[in-house]
Amino acid sequence: MTLRFPDTGHFTGLNTPVRMEYDIRELSVEGEIPRDISGAFFRAVPDPVYPPLHEDDVVLSGDGMISRFLFEDGHVDCAIRYVHTKRFLAERAARHSLFGRYRNPFTDDPSVAQTDRTVANTTPVWHAGRLLMTKEDGRPYEINPHTLETVGPFDFDGKLRSQTMTAHVRIDPQSQEMFFFGYEAGGLCTRDIAYCIADRDGVLRSEQWFEGPYCAMTHDFAITERYALFPIFPTVTDLETLRGGGAHWQHRQDLDSWVGVMPRDGDVKEMRWFRGPAGVSAYHVMNAFDVDGKIHLDLCLSETNAFPFIRTDSKIAREQWEIGGGFIRWTLDMNAAEDTIQARPLGPPGDLPRVRDRDQGRPYASSWYLSIDPKAGPPLPGGPVGAAFNCLLRIEPETGAIDTLTMPPGMAINEPVHVPAAAGTAGDGWLLATIDERHGDTYRSELWVIEASAVAAGPIAKVLLPVRLRPQVHGWWVPMKELQASKVGGTGRPG
Ligand code: V55
Ligand code: FE
């Protein structure tokens, strides 16, 4: 057999590679899709073309695919394409893998020593009429949002100095500026973090570098109306380990976490560091906002790193159901003399948080995230952490009210996007999420349309898929008007 993928959770169950590019016009729909859902649901899907060089390779190394569900007048079409990264093209030409372990270039084939090794597999970011496929270990690739063809590597017209860009940007709902950062900005294992702002037209207007307390996996950050916040958790790296062919990340239970805070339009020299608890980790920030000099930072926190492969590499013996944590509010008082953090639980453990675009950086009444309900049976094997989520929560952080949609046994739900209701109409819009369902030895996928204010009621429509989907990482909703006004392949103006 020529294509033998490792017999591990990273390549079996829902994570079994699919490796298919396709277009399907007109998917079958059960129920009725509201006409106000008009636009594109883009999804980033890691899906390795070739078996990895190393048996212990992980989901996060999979080649990036850009997937799109296009909603128009109650109809849905779908398409998926590989991102033509330099790495994808080199391996395609060679007809086998050339790149080694996750984020360790010292394990690559010498023939690709100078080749960009990002797989652009984490978030499809839409800003200023451009679609970018991002991954935190490199610069993004620009995608034609109509054909899903790769335009090429993207560096803000040659302006970006950082070697990397996060997959978690923040767009201010009023100014439409895109705030983002890159870590290991100056190269492998550097403490350099680049803090950047692109204006509403996508022009990079600011890039400032600062040093973090240590070189850490810095996956997400936050903005409020006044501040930029950089949460740093002790998942660290060093060049010596990498040179020896080792893992990029080691989680350190003994090191403190930190939050760097600066005025979002200020100078990085103004950064103030607040000390958090030792050993904790958060991949995603739900939202942050500031009121009267107090900053609230709402995180999906765990007591250790949430990725089993990182815990194994760090010799931390905790199973996935033992990582603790919760949906937690950290409060930082900018008027206090001490740089300490107050913590308060808001909800049960979970991840893949979603707020409305218009609530970004502002006080917010409700939001959504995914969790695992053990009563719904064993989670399906798959996704980045190896156990797929089986419930969707809607939470009101101020009142503590929670509504839950628990999936039937044998089903899993992926990160939703939020589609706002049309201007001038009542309602809180919809969530769109793909669903996986076990059928004997195989899986089936659907896309569910759920009322955002009534998740417990279940889907109001289901889009049926003739092919199984590999679990996505993150998604992005682009309204039809913005899609038609895309810089590449569009009309260039709102339709
Ligand atoms: C994450 C995902 C990544 C990655 C690092 O979800 C962190 C967290 C899909 O790639 O490289
Ligand atoms: Fe993420």
Side-chain angles (χ1 to χ4, degrees):
M1 193 161 74
T2 60
L3 288 181
R4 195 190 303 277
F5 286 90
D7 189 21
T8 68
H10 297 271
F11 301 93
T12 55
L14 287 174
N15 286 340
T16 305
V18 176
R19 305 167 62 253
M20 239 193 305
E21 299 182 290
Y22 52 82
D23 286 272
I24 304 171
R25 185 154 175 97
E26 211 62 51
L27 294 167
S28 183
V29 176
E30 245 179 65
E32 198 153 330
I33 296 177
R35 295 296 191 272
D36 285 343
I37 302 181
S38 177
F41 173 15
F42 289 105
R43 299 159 59 249
V45 184
D47 200 340
V49 178
Y50 289 105
L53 288 183
H54 298 255
E55 279 285 308
D56 63 355
D57 206 3
V58 297
V59 170
L60 310 186
S61 297
D63 294 295
M65 295 189 89
I66 173 78
S67 151
R68 182 192 60 216
F69 288 97
L70 190 69
F71 287 72
E72 194 174 26
D73 293 328
H75 301 270
V76 186
D77 307 326
C78 75
I80 187 164
R81 299 267 183 289
Y82 275 108
V83 182
H84 284 209
T85 60
K86 304 283 185 202
R87 171 173 174 156
F88 169 90
L89 294 172
E91 293 186 339
R92 187 170 75 160
R95 288 189 178 275
H96 59 83
S97 278
L98 295 167
F99 293 81
R101 300 192 75 189
Y102 180 62
R103 301 192 63 175
N104 188 340
F106 300 101
T107 61
D108 294 347
D109 186 288
S111 67
V112 290
Q114 304 306 319
T115 306
D116 178 15
R117 74 193 302 287
T118 192
V119 285
N121 68 1
T122 310
T123 309
V125 167
W126 180 270
H127 182 246
R130 285 204 162 90
L131 180 62
L132 305 176
M133 277 290 272
T134 56
K135 186 178 182 72
E136 64 193 39
D137 69 349
R139 290 175 173 173
Y141 278 78
E142 185 172 10
I143 306 293
N144 179 325
H146 305 280
T147 63
L148 305 189
E149 285 162 343
T150 302
V151 178
F154 185 76
D155 62 4
F156 295 86
D157 276 329
K159 283 209 183 111
L160 187 70
R161 286 185 298 127
S162 176
Q163 296 181 22
T164 62
M165 174 178 167
T166 179
H168 290 286
V169 308
R170 299 275 167 185
I171 296 173
D172 186 273
Q174 239 130 48
S175 72
Q176 288 296 318
E177 292 161 304
M178 179 168 73
F179 296 80
F180 64 98
F181 68 98
Y183 73 94
E184 299 190 49
L188 218 52
C189 303
T190 59
R191 283 164 57 194
D192 303 315
I193 300 175
Y195 169 45
C196 305
I197 307 170
D199 71 16
R200 62 185 311 137
D201 299 317
V203 177
L204 188 67
R205 72 162 170 85
S206 166
E207 176 172 1
Q208 303 184 68
W209 287 34
F210 64 95
E211 285 198 344
Y214 39 71
C215 178
M217 185 183 210
T218 311
H219 188 65
D220 194 358
F221 87 129
I223 57 161
T224 72
E225 286 178 86
R226 291 167 193 81
Y227 299 101
L229 306 172
F230 299 90
I232 311 282
F233 303 102
T235 301
V236 304
T237 181
D238 68 278
L239 262 184
E240 211 185 316
T241 306
L242 293 188
R243 287 215 175 89
H248 194 103
W249 298 118
Q250 300 274 328
H251 190 72
R252 292 273 304 270
Q253 293 299 141
D254 59 314
L255 286 184
D256 288 334
S257 55
W258 295 90
V259 181
V261 185
M262 61 174 279
R264 76 181 204 184
D265 285 310
D267 191 295
V268 290
K269 289 193 196 74
E270 298 171 76
M271 191 78 70
R272 183 170 162 188
W273 289 96
F274 286 74
R275 187 192 298 266
V280 299
S281 170
Y283 277 93
H284 300 112
V285 174
M286 172 75 83
N287 202 5
F289 58 96
D290 67 275
V291 184
D292 300 332
K294 283 200 173 157
I295 300 174
H296 303 293
L297 174 65
D298 297 350
L299 305 154
C300 297
L301 198 74
S302 41
E303 290 165 8
T304 181
N305 196 290
F307 280 113
F309 83 90
I310 293 180
R311 295 198 299 280
T312 301
D313 292 337
S314 313
K315 311 211 160 29
I316 295 170
R318 280 219 211 190
E319 297 294 344
Q320 202 60 19
W321 56 89
E322 299 172 326
I323 64 171
F327 177 41
I328 310 281
R329 173 162 294 176
W330 278 7
T331 299
L332 290 60
D333 187 348
M334 297 303 282
N335 297 320
E338 307 83 56
D339 293 335
T340 54
I341 294 171
Q342 308 301 319
R344 170 163 92 78
L346 299 176
D351 205 355
L352 302 177
R354 176 70 65 193
V355 289
R356 297 168 192 73
D357 290 344
R358 65 154 207 266
D359 286 341
Q360 187 67 248
R362 313 293 199 270
Y364 61 110
S366 62
S367 58
W368 304 268
Y369 67 105
L370 305 183
S371 187
I372 292 184
D373 179 352
K375 292 193 294 296
L380 290 188
V385 302
F389 291 103
N390 65 13
C391 60
L392 167 66
L393 306 181
R394 175 185 179 275
I395 184 163
E396 298 181 2
E398 298 310 323
T399 67
I402 296 179
D403 290 325
T404 308
L405 172 61
T406 300
M407 311 298 296
M411 292 183 82
I413 180 164
N414 291 270
E415 181 191 74
V417 287
H418 175 251
V419 182
T425 61
D428 196 16
W430 301 271
L431 301 178
L432 308 178
T434 60
I435 302 294
D436 306 297
E437 186 178 10
R438 192 206 299 272
H439 278 264
D441 287 345
T442 183
Y443 299 89
R444 236 177 9 221
S445 305
E446 294 176 350
L447 187 158
W448 285 9
V449 180
I450 298 165
E451 283 201 58
S453 58
V455 300
I460 57 165
K462 294 180 179 179
V463 182
L464 311 182
L465 292 166
V467 282
R468 173 176 72 85
L469 303 178
R470 203 167 190 262
Q472 82 188 50
V473 186
H474 297 295
W476 199 287
W477 173 253
V478 181
M480 192 63 87
K481 273 200 162 105
E482 288 187 43
L483 187 66
Q484 286 166 349
S486 64
K487 292 225 164 70
V488 175
T491 59
R493 64 197 136 71

